[in-house]
Amino acid sequence: MVGMNPAQSQQEIARELFDKATELYGAQRAEAIRATLEEAAEHLWVISHNLPDKEEEPAFFL
């Protein structure tokens, strides 16, 4: 499972997502959604480097 590890590169996250997609859906489907997986990896990487403060309440509660 892909975690929120700030030391992990965007490429490592994408590789983990692709490997998991291959395991779950097969190689052909994983290849078909590769661009989406890479975009998701970028978003996860950005989030992992911009975490909110522990005391900050999520905006959806406001």
Side-chain angles (χ1 to χ4, degrees):
M1 171 106 186
V2 175
M4 296 297 287
N5 179 359
Q8 201 171 26
S9 74
Q10 186 175 331
Q11 291 77 20
E12 290 170 325
I13 296 169
R15 188 175 338 102
E16 282 188 40
L17 289 174
F18 183 79
D19 290 347
K20 190 63 174 179
T22 301
E23 178 184 324
L24 292 172
Y25 309 118
Q28 186 176 10
R29 179 70 179 137
E31 190 59 47
I33 62 171
R34 183 183 288 272
T36 302
L37 296 172
E38 289 175 355
E39 184 177 355
E42 179 184 359
H43 293 171
L44 288 170
W45 184 84
V46 168
I47 290 168
S48 73
H49 285 86
N50 296 291
L51 295 174
D53 185 48
K54 287 183 183 181
E55 300 299 320
E56 187 176 334
E57 192 169 329
F60 59 82
F61 286 126
L62 301 176

